[in-house]
Amino acid sequence: MPQYICSQCNKEYDTITADGFCTNQPECEFGTGWLREKGSAKSADDSGLTPLEFGNEAGLCILMMDGSFSMNEPAFPESDYPGTRYKLVAMNAAGGIWSLKSMTHRESAYLALAVFGGEPKLVSIKSVEDIFKEHDTPEALADSIQKTLENETPDARFTNINSAVQLAYEIKQAFIGGDLSGFGGPTDFKPVIHPVVRGSEEREEFIDIPNVRALIYTDGEHNVTSAIKNPFAGDEQSVLITAFIGEKDAKGVSQMQGLACTCPKHGPANGFFLIDSPERVQTLRGIFRMASGASGFCSACLHVEQKGLEITEPESDLEEAGESGAGPAETGVDSENPSDKEESIVDTPAPQSETSSSQGT
Ligand SMILES: [Zn+2]
Ligand SMILES: [Zn+2]
């Protein structure tokens, strides 16, 4: 008689797995399912998790990841979620990146991986293609991200948001300048620029948005003496997405909220995400995917993507902006409901899907 059941795919297990997570890949998307004692809690519907066909972009994502010691605590202590915050972010960063596997031009989509504690450290700038070459599975990628967080975070007793955001900004600027060689990245490339209609109550305007996103998350708060500064705020359009892992009344929440960009399509909705319960694990993975694919900014953007994925999220106060006013249907991701599609900020996604989970071996 099975004792455990996966929270995501409902696969039953007689004994718990080594790390408490579901091992039923590829049917169960890596990192999303964990084992619950049978009958103890509701299981999510098996909702046909199909990786999003992303839009083939040359571009850059800067992942600025908090690796401070507090990340070693249980991610959601009130729940049956079996991982630490390190594990939570490593698995979902890996899962989010992995869902870009089917995008074309993977060789020109770059990922800058950086960790921070009291100081930030850029670990690498690599193309998504190279990341896939170096890691055979999302599990291997998650392991390597987790080891990086645990072992390479400078000054892990502290959380210095300012220096982390500043480094992310400098990398972003170098990308826009077409030369990342100062950071050990590529040179002589042209950043892709997307014209986007930014709408507001009073007017619409055309702005150019470079195909770059910076994502910073923390589970703490800025705890060095200087006040929070945000160099992204001086840009025509900020590309800084932020997330907080922890309780919603923590001090770090308002700090991260204040740093987040305003979405050019869904403003005043902004690019802040709160990860405060196991139900938000899908959201976390979605943010990593959205940032890595440089495809969106806010929870409404993510909502549109997840509709394409047929993922139904539990009720979420973060999605209040997502129900209204999607832009003109123009391009995109396969969706059950074309009227909900919006103009993609990235290039038209490729229709091909050779690596989608539908291959289902
Ligand atoms: Zn599963
Ligand atoms: Zn948006």
Side-chain angles (χ1 to χ4, degrees), residues 51 102-103 136 204 249 279 327 333 356:
S102 59
M103 82 180 195
D136 292 336
E204 284 192 337
D249 45 8
E279 286 70 38
V333 180
S356 87

Side-chain angles (χ1 to χ4, degrees), residues 260-343:
C261 65
T262 299
C263 181
K265 306 198 69 78
H266 305 108
N270 71 10
F272 169 74
F273 296 83
L274 177 65
I275 309 299
D276 64 348
S277 71
E279 286 70 38
R280 295 282 165 80
V281 170
Q282 292 279 2
T283 302
L284 183 63
R285 203 191 70 253
I287 305 163
F288 278 113
R289 186 189 59 235
M290 184 169 79
S292 301
S295 65
F297 293 91
C298 77
S299 60
C301 296
L302 186 58
H303 187 74
V304 170
E305 289 190 7
Q306 293 193 322
K307 273 198 164 170
L309 289 168
E310 296 178 301
I311 290 172
T312 47
E313 283 239 304
E315 50 79 35
S316 162
D317 55 1
L318 290 171
E319 291 185 350
E320 57 198 6
E323 302 301 335
S324 67
E330 183 217 282
T331 143
V333 180
D334 286 340
S335 164
E336 288 290 285
N337 185 351
S339 67
D340 275 339
K341 280 193 296 193
E342 68 171 20
E343 176 185 345

Side-chain angles (χ1 to χ4, degrees), residues 187-216:
T187 187
D188 286 333
F189 59 87
K190 278 209 167 78
V192 174
I193 305 287
H194 293 287
V196 169
V197 182
R198 182 163 61 185
S200 68
E201 308 261 307
E202 310 86 48
R203 63 202 177 113
E204 284 192 337
E205 55 183 344
F206 289 90
I207 55 168
D208 288 334
I209 301 182
N211 199 31
V212 54
R213 301 289 182 275
L215 169 61
I216 184 171

Side-chain angles (χ1 to χ4, degrees), residues 6 9 22 24 28:
C6 172
C9 72
C22 180
N24 183 29
C28 184

